[in-house]
Amino acid sequence: ENSFDWSSCHIIIFETMLLRLTITLCSAIVVAAATTPRRLDDAVDMSWMTGYSIHYDHCFPEKNLVTFHFCPTGESSCSKGCKNGGEYLIDLAYFLQLFNEAKLQALENRCEIISANCNNDDGRCFTQAGAYECIADENQNEFNLEDYLECKQVAENVYVGPYCAEDNSGIYLGVFTNQYCTNKAQENAFEYAMGYSLEYTSSSIVADACVECKLEEDQNNNNNNNGQQQEATEQCQELYAAAAKCEKD
């Protein structure tokens, strides 16, 4: 006769409950850390971080949490992550805010470097460098992603905010009917209210899953650094300070 192994079942149930308890406790810690003003301690040596990049990992819909890694730059791909970096847990909205700021700062820095080494034709130089994001789009609508990284009201009973997909990977913008962005609204509600389509409804906000913690340097202007080591970006330092950490020496 076939017998059911209840001991295995009990182990699985226990492990599931333990995982949920861990996520719940981490949620309280992370949300408290992310909503409490912090001051980065100048005495802490963060120079190691200039050799690392932020790698987005997963999100958890029920808790609005995100896991990410600091991976050695150049030793891994954005899609695969890394084996030699610590794992971190943080509030989803706070992660998106700092992650997006880091991406925008890196883009702005790159555009400035290309422009500084160009002869009065930035558009041509941007194109030659493959930096198409630096070219202003006159037909671009008024949509700004940074305006919707937290739940925001755009019209009566119409709210927009980020949410974690069921696959625990993609993070998208959705349209909702309440201030907590939990009750889905009709997809065309945003376009009806604003006059243009909402972006990031089908493409993930974190599709470009990594960003370096060290800004690109102008190779033609290194002499102005006077031998000083570049610091890690403020966004990377703040993410590290606020997150719950799983590290090993």
Side-chain angles (χ1 to χ4, degrees), residues 51-233:
Y52 284 75
S53 299
I54 309 168
H55 281 241
Y56 165 74
D57 188 16
H58 292 100
C59 56
F60 301 92
E62 295 181 358
K63 300 298 180 182
N64 282 328
L65 293 172
V66 161
T67 56
F68 68 98
H69 293 77
F70 280 111
C71 294
T73 300
E75 294 185 10
S76 56
S77 66
C78 286
S79 59
K80 296 182 179 179
C82 61
K83 297 181 179 179
N84 299 319
E87 186 172 9
Y88 306 87
L89 184 72
I90 198 167
D91 175 68
L92 183 147
Y94 193 66
F95 173 82
L96 290 179
Q97 174 191 336
L98 291 176
F99 188 77
N100 187 62
E101 285 181 5
K103 289 176 61 177
L104 291 176
Q105 183 180 15
L107 175 60
E108 181 181 1
N109 182 70
R110 187 187 183 200
C111 295
E112 288 179 354
I113 291 176
I114 296 173
S115 179
N117 292 280
C118 187
N119 295 322
N120 300 321
D121 189 354
D122 287 353
R124 178 180 59 82
C125 293
F126 291 148
T127 301
Q128 290 179 344
Y132 302 105
E133 303 91 341
C134 298
I135 302 175
D137 185 358
E138 296 180 356
N139 298 320
Q140 187 177 11
N141 58 43
E142 299 177 358
F143 177 84
N144 291 310
L145 174 60
E146 52 268 31
D147 292 337
Y148 304 103
L149 295 179
E150 290 187 286
C151 192
K152 177 182 180 179
Q153 184 175 14
V154 298
E156 184 176 0
N157 297 324
V158 180
Y159 298 79
V160 175
Y163 71 94
C164 175
E166 294 181 357
D167 62 1
N168 297 103
S169 179
I171 301 178
Y172 304 93
L173 288 182
V175 186
F176 304 87
T177 61
N178 64 327
Q179 61 181 333
Y180 304 107
C181 286
T182 54
N183 300 328
K184 285 289 186 70
Q186 294 183 353
E187 293 183 0
N188 63 350
F190 177 88
E191 185 174 0
Y192 180 80
M194 304 299 291
Y196 54 87
S197 299
L198 179 65
E199 298 184 23
Y200 296 102
T201 57
S202 57
S203 60
S204 177
I205 298 173
V206 289
D208 296 327
C210 62
V211 59
E212 293 186 23
C213 290
K214 179 182 179 181
L215 292 177
E216 180 181 350
E217 294 180 317
D218 186 351
Q219 300 301 320
N220 296 324
N221 196 31
N222 281 340
N223 292 332
N224 291 340
N225 293 333
N226 297 322
Q228 295 182 354
Q229 185 176 8
Q230 186 177 1
E231 294 183 353
T233 61

